[in-house]
Amino acid sequence: MSDLRFKDLIEPVVLDQKTALRVTVLGGGSFGTAMANTAVRNGCDTMIWIRDEAIAAEINATHINKRYLPDFQLEAGLRAESNLEKAVRDRDIILVAIPSHSFRDVLRQIKPFISAQAVVSLTKGIEAKSFSFMSDIIREELPEVPYGVLSGPNLAKEIVAGQPAGTVIASDSELVRYAVQQALHSALFRVFGSDDVHGVELGGALKNIYAVAMGMAVAYKVGENTRSMILTRALAEMSRFAVKLGANPLTFLGLSGVGDLFATCNSPLSRNYQVGFALGSGKTLEQATKELGQTAEGINTIVQVNARAKELDVYMPITTALYEVIFEGAPPLNIAVSLMKNGHRSDVEFVLPHNEV
């Protein structure tokens, strides 16, 4: 399948305001539900695929996602579907909001039903062991499909509540970017475009590491000076690592970089922040993740990025210290100490000719 086939399918739809885009969201977690609800509000014919038939039926009957967003009434036009073929076949845009550990398997399941749909990842994570990004997995499993990634400071509860927010759709295809903007852009939810696919999804994945660190720091009641230093040095780590992998450093000045980092590191609504806070409060990783009841992508991302940073010889002291604290029993003070090492580094990455002395 090529972008031209998607063009033939989508152009008549996006040009004709009387014809609603057909959008399916795969995954009934908080963010997937928020995007599905946004698409309905924007006039799209929208379905959300949920594995459990009983939960799908409950959402259709009550218009409430009781597990992930129990305090919010969803749009009446949102339909939940447990049959994967019905959810995917003959749609325009497939938004995939599946945890990274199941992402590849779900793409393999939908492959027989893909004809000319665009597939867009909403997942902010990295596949364990392979170190594949979600865009890599889409290319591998659905090699001819037009694709993109959506990422930004998008806390689901705020979006469903109708608070103004913004996000970034990154794709090599201008048509995919335009179609996603048509589906989701509104007066309260602004969708910006980018062609730096890996940069945008790296921002979304990497910031989860530092949300865990910030949650731990808050549990230890650190001051505003320390929190500000964590944020800015986290941004330096993120951009340093991403540029090594070919991303544009300027991407990290946008919503998918510093915007998402700020929102996730400063909000108790963030799953990764919550796990970090629990760890900083003396709970084990098993206890913290069990109490959360949702996937905290940051824990897997710490493992993957720590290993890859060593392979690539990228200086990432916060990530390294977090790994040592969580998995090797090092004292939490190591994270603070890591920030104070190597004081001759440049304040802003890529500004001075030599970042490290």
Side-chain angles (χ1 to χ4, degrees), residues 125-276:
I126 299 171
E127 188 178 48
K129 297 181 181 179
S130 72
F131 202 84
S132 293
F133 302 112
M134 301 305 107
S135 65
D136 297 329
I137 298 173
I138 295 172
R139 285 198 303 271
E140 291 168 12
E141 300 297 334
L142 305 170
E144 296 184 4
V145 167
Y147 69 92
V149 300
L150 189 83
S151 190
N154 301 147
L155 296 166
K157 290 181 180 179
E158 293 185 4
I159 293 171
V160 176
Q163 296 184 29
T167 196
V168 181
I169 171 63
S171 176
D172 294 332
S173 166
E174 182 180 0
L175 193 59
V176 169
R177 297 195 298 268
Y178 180 63
V180 172
Q181 287 172 325
Q182 288 288 112
L184 299 177
H185 185 96
S186 69
L188 295 175
F189 192 69
R190 187 164 182 183
V191 183
F192 296 85
S194 171
D195 61 1
D196 184 12
V197 176
H198 271 170
V200 167
E201 63 186 338
L202 267 167
L206 294 175
K207 56 87 185 180
N208 289 329
I209 295 173
Y210 308 105
V212 175
M214 187 65 79
M216 292 180 70
V218 171
Y220 277 89
K221 297 181 172 59
V222 303
E224 294 298 330
N225 290 340
T226 309
R227 293 171 68 174
S228 296
M229 184 164 64
I230 292 172
L231 275 173
T232 51
R233 297 322 299 165
L235 186 62
E237 279 195 24
M238 289 169 63
S239 56
R240 190 159 56 236
F241 182 77
V243 167
K244 191 76 171 183
L245 295 177
N248 185 340
L250 293 179
T251 296
F252 289 82
L253 299 179
L255 279 174
S256 63
V258 67
D260 202 3
L261 177 68
F262 181 86
T264 310
C265 286
N266 284 287
S267 174
L269 295 176
S270 160
R271 290 169 288 180
N272 295 286
Y273 177 103
Q274 291 171 21
V275 166

Side-chain angles (χ1 to χ4, degrees), residues 288-324:
T289 52
K290 184 177 180 180
E291 288 179 8
L292 181 64
Q294 301 184 54
T295 299
E297 291 282 358
I299 300 301
N300 169 59
T301 306
I302 290 167
V303 176
Q304 304 305 318
V305 172
N306 182 61
R308 183 53 64 93
K310 290 179 179 177
E311 292 174 11
L312 298 174
D313 193 28
V314 181
Y315 180 61
M316 301 188 75
I318 302 175
T319 302
T320 300
L322 263 177
Y323 181 87
E324 292 170 350

Side-chain angles (χ1 to χ4, degrees), residues 225-230 233 237 315 317-318 321 332-345:
N225 290 340
T226 309
R227 293 171 68 174
S228 296
M229 184 164 64
I230 292 172
R233 297 322 299 165
E237 279 195 24
Y315 180 61
I318 302 175
L333 182 63
N334 278 23
I335 298 173
V337 171
S338 74
L339 287 167
M340 310 310 292
K341 291 180 179 179
N342 209 342
H344 294 288
R345 292 192 66 84

